[in-house]
Structures are given as structure tokens and as C-alpha cells.
């Protein structure tokens, strides 16, 4: 296999806005098909972006034996159904985060794909960006001492009642959409799981989705905190404070692809700003996904990572109901 032949389930705004163009620049991937429940929508996207085949149903695309893998940017509540159907069709799967609605579902899905011998990757694109590799290397090599706390702030303002992120039964809400990053980051940097969590959650009076969620994650000798909101000004930052220094990731998640990324590092020697040359993290993610399949390379993150992240997310939701600490099982 010289190129991974990729099909896309859904003409989503996320795919069009952030994914299609960087993937078309890759040497090891070809987007060969796109599907929508409305054929005209798939046909229009195929024409605009030079995709060979358009399908009027997701299953029709999965029935195409020439396709090696699929990218699933569907609403959260549809991930499990279509990941299983893709696995049944023998397709490798890159699924948008969060991969499932709860940890039991995530565990079931991982095992389902393993039994069918297909690769399953959760699409946390930030892990593939060199700025995050640099941050983790600084921590791992003890350049700022032992991490004491990590704080993540992430927000945007989305008042639209018809937007899928504001529909509760679709898996909408700030915690699943952006809180999953705030949970993933400290796990990624500390390379371990929190023991327990405590949280507060505010719901929208009409949508019923969480619009402001705050939490403390207890990692024993370190803590992580976060505030995520879908009713606040667009803002995002991650601060890592350690015993001998600190790091600030200024644009941690929606990192621009056409300007350098910047992280600030401060130690006893002084403060420095590190610039990372422009890269497209979505292209890097799909490139790494393709290499897993083409070169039979080991995953950059174990499939169990999706289960573990969901366990923490579930505990945050439980804590918002119990109003007390909840153990991460």
C-alpha cells in the first residue's frame, strides 16, 4: 500500500474547515470518497475538493471495497454505531473525539475493533503538534522540576439552538466538546491517571447542555484544574506550574497552521519564548494514522487512552450530580 485510501462519513463543517485541505497535501493519503445522507451535499463537496466518489449514504461508502479507512466526524452520539459498522466492513477508523458517550461504550468499541483487526484512533489532533511534544519533553527531562499544577481554560460562545453542540441527546455540551481536551492534557503531560475528581456544572436553561464546567483532577502529588464554557468569549490557554519553573501554551488547541506556535518557559535562568515553525496538526494526525496502517507502526497512544479519558469525563459528570469527590474507576 503506497497510499491510504480514505473515505469520510459526513460533509461536516469541521472536516471542510480544518481537515480536507491539509489531508489533500499528504503523500501517504488520498481522500477517495465522501458520504452524506444527502447525495447532493456529498457531490458538491467531492466536486469542490477533487474527491473521486460521492455517496448518498454512509453504508454505501462502507460497502466500497477500494476504501482502506474512514474518518468519522459525525455527531458524538453516532460514533459508536458507525465505528462498529466501519469495523464490520474491514475499514480502519479515525474517529473524532470524544469517541463514545461513556467509558463502558468506549471499552466495548475498542474490543470490537480489536476483534476485527482494524486500527481505531481517537482524533486528538493536539498530541501530534510539535509544540506539545516540546512541552512534554521539557517536563520529562526535569527542566522545570516536578509539576505541581496544570490549569486549562477553554471557551467559545455558541448561542445557536440548532447547533449539534447544543443538543443534549447528540452528546452536546462544553464538557464533551472541549472539556475532553482539558482532561486529556494533564494525563498526556503527567503520563498517569487522576485518582479522583470534583466538579461544578451549569446547564443552559433551554438546551440542557453544560455551558460552564469547572473541575479539579487529583493526581496525588499534582493537580489539574479547568474551566470550559460554551457561553463565554473565545479563549484558550494552558499553564503548567512546577517546582522550578513554568510553561504557558498560548494557543494550545486551535493552533494556527500558517504562523509559528509559541510557548513561554520560565526558570531561574530567565524567561524565553520558544517558537515552533508552522505545521498543520490535522495533517500530522492523519499522516500518523496512515503510517500506522501502511507501515504497521505501533500507535502513538494506546487505544486504552480513549477509555481512560472517558473514565475521567464520566467521573466529572458524576461529581456534578453528587457534589462531592468521585473516584476515577
Amino acid at each position: 500500500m503506497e497510499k491510504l485510501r480514505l473515505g469520510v462519513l459526513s460533509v461536516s463543517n469541521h472536516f471542510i474547515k480544518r481537515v480536507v485541505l491539509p489531508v489533500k497535501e499528504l503523500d501517504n493519503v488520498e481522500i477517495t470518497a465522501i458520504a452524506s445522507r444527502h447525495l447532493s451535499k456529498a457531490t458538491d463537496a467531492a466536486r469542490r475538493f477533487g474527491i473521486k466518489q460521492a455517496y448518498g449514504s454512509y453504508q454505501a461508502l462502507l460497502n466500497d471495497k477500494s476504501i482502506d479507512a474512514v474518518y468519522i466526524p459525525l455527531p458524538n452520539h453516532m460514533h459508536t454505531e458507525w465505528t462498529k459498522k466501519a469495523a464490520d466492513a474491514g475499514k480502519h477508523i479515525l474517529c473524532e473525539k470524544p469517541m463514545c458517550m461513556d467509558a463502558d461504550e468506549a471499552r466495548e468499541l475498542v474490543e470490537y475493533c480489536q476483534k476485527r483487526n482494524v486500527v481505531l484512533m481517537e482524533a486528538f489532533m493536539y498530541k501530534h503538534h510539535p509544540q506539545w511534544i516540546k512541552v512534554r519533553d521539557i517536563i520529562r527531562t526535569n527542566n522545570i522540576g516536578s509539576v505541581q499544577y496544570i490549569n486549562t481554560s477553554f471557551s467559545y460562545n455558541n448561542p445557536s439552538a440548532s447547533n449539534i453542540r447544543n443538543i443534549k441527546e447528540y452528546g452536546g455540551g462544553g464538557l464533551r466538546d472541549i472539556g475532553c481536551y482539558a482532561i486529556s492534557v494533564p494525563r498526556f503531560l503527567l503520563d498517569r491517571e487522576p485518582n479522583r475528581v470534583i466538579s461544578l456544572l451549569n446547564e443552559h436553561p433551554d438546551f440542557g447542555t453544560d455551558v460552564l464546567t469547572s473541575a479539579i483532577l487529583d493526581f496525588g502529588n499534582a493537580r489539574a484544574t479547568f474551566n470550559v464554557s460554551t457561553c463565554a468569549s473565545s479563549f484558550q490557554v494552558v499553564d503548567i506550574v512546577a517546582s522550578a519553573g513554568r510553561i504557558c501554551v498560548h494557543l494550545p488547541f486551535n493552533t494556527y497552521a500558517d504562523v509559528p506556535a509559541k510557548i513561554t518557559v520560565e526558570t531561574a535562568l530567565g524567561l524565553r519564548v520558544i517558537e515552533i515553525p508552522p505545521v498543520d496538526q490535522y495533517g500530522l494526525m492523519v499522516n500518523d494514522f496512515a503510517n500506522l496502517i501502511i507501515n504497521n507502526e505501533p500507535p502513538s497512544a494506546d487505544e486504552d487512552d480513549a477509555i481512560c479519558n472517558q473514565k475521567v469525563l464520566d467521573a466529572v459528570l458524576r461529581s456534578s450530580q453528587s457534589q462531592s469527590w468521585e473516584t476515577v474507576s
Side-chain angles (χ1 to χ4, degrees):
M1 186 189 302
E2 294 181 0
K3 280 192 175 187
L4 184 76
R5 295 166 296 186
L6 185 69
V8 181
L9 300 187
S10 170
V11 186
S12 75
N13 182 58
H14 174 70
F15 170 70
I16 298 299
K17 188 174 181 179
R18 301 183 181 93
V19 181
V20 63
L21 293 182
V23 172
K24 286 186 68 65
E25 295 295 319
L26 298 178
D27 294 329
N28 60 350
V29 179
E30 181 183 4
I31 302 175
T32 58
I34 188 165
S36 171
R37 289 171 294 183
H38 305 284
L39 179 59
S40 60
K41 194 173 181 180
T43 301
D44 178 64
R47 177 188 57 78
R48 283 190 290 147
F49 297 105
I51 300 170
K52 294 178 181 177
Q53 183 67 51
Y55 288 104
S57 75
Y58 304 141
Q59 189 60 54
L61 185 148
L62 295 180
N63 292 340
D64 186 338
K65 297 185 182 302
S66 70
I67 296 171
D68 305 308
V70 293
Y71 170 56
I72 302 179
L74 291 164
N76 296 334
H77 72 301
M78 298 175 70
H79 289 176
T80 294
E81 175 190 359
W82 287 101
T83 295
K84 284 184 175 180
K85 288 180 177 179
D88 289 339
K91 315 299 185 190
H92 303 289
I93 303 130
L94 176 63
C95 183
E96 267 304 327
K97 52 76 202 163
M99 194 168 69
C100 294
M101 298 290 281
D102 59 53
D104 289 340
E105 201 173 78
R107 186 180 298 106
E108 177 189 355
L109 202 54
V110 167
E111 292 173 356
Y112 195 92
C113 291
Q114 288 174 343
K115 288 178 181 178
R116 285 151 184 80
N117 199 32
V118 296
V119 170
L120 172 62
M121 178 187 283
E122 189 175 28
F124 269 117
M125 75 297 175
Y126 84 92
K127 295 181 182 180
H128 302 263
H129 197 293
Q131 75 170 344
W132 282 103
I133 307 303
K134 180 67 173 178
V135 169
R136 191 169 62 170
D137 286 347
I138 291 171
I139 293 171
R140 283 179 168 180
T141 53
N142 203 35
N143 274 270
I144 59 169
S146 59
V147 172
Q148 299 299 300
Y149 64 89
I150 299 169
N151 182 66
T152 300
S153 299
F154 197 178
S155 62
Y156 60 84
N157 196 335
N158 180 5
S160 172
S162 62
N163 190 284
I164 60 171
R165 292 168 180 81
N166 288 330
I167 302 175
K168 191 169 185 177
E169 56 267 34
Y170 287 8
L175 181 61
R176 284 195 172 95
D177 188 38
I178 53 181
C180 61
Y181 290 105
I183 291 169
S184 176
V185 160
R187 296 180 51 255
F188 176 70
L189 295 178
L190 298 173
D191 198 25
R192 61 182 188 273
E193 304 302 322
N195 307 312
R196 56 180 185 157
V197 306
I198 193 166
S199 68
L200 289 172
L201 184 153
N202 292 358
E203 290 187 350
H204 193 282
D206 299 320
F207 308 152
T209 54
D210 63 288
V211 295
L212 174 60
T213 299
S214 308
I216 302 172
L217 281 56
D218 178 12
F219 286 86
N221 60 349
R223 291 177 191 159
T225 57
F226 69 78
N227 293 282
V228 296
S229 176
T230 60
C231 286
S233 176
S234 293
F235 178 69
Q236 53 186 267
V237 68
V238 174
D239 290 300
I240 304 117
V241 181
S243 59
R246 66 180 183 88
I247 304 171
C248 178
V249 186
H250 298 276
L251 194 57
F253 308 118
N254 295 116
T255 315
Y256 296 119
D258 53 0
V259 296
K262 295 181 180 180
I263 59 175
T264 301
V265 182
E266 185 173 13
T267 66
L269 293 174
L271 185 146
R272 68 188 190 274
V273 177
I274 301 173
E275 291 196 352
I276 310 296
V279 295
D280 194 298
Q281 58 189 347
Y282 293 98
L284 292 175
M285 174 183 68
V286 178
N287 178 78
D288 290 347
F289 172 68
N291 282 337
L292 296 181
I293 299 159
I294 296 171
N295 303 323
N296 196 27
E297 294 181 0
S300 57
D302 194 295
E303 290 173 333
D304 287 344
D305 184 74
I307 302 172
C308 292
N309 211 63
Q310 189 65 53
K311 284 182 179 180
V312 182
L313 197 153
D314 291 351
V316 170
L317 288 172
R318 290 198 307 272
S319 176
S320 72
Q321 295 296 317
S322 69
Q323 298 186 354
S324 62
W325 287 97
E326 289 287 340
T327 300
V328 179
S329 60

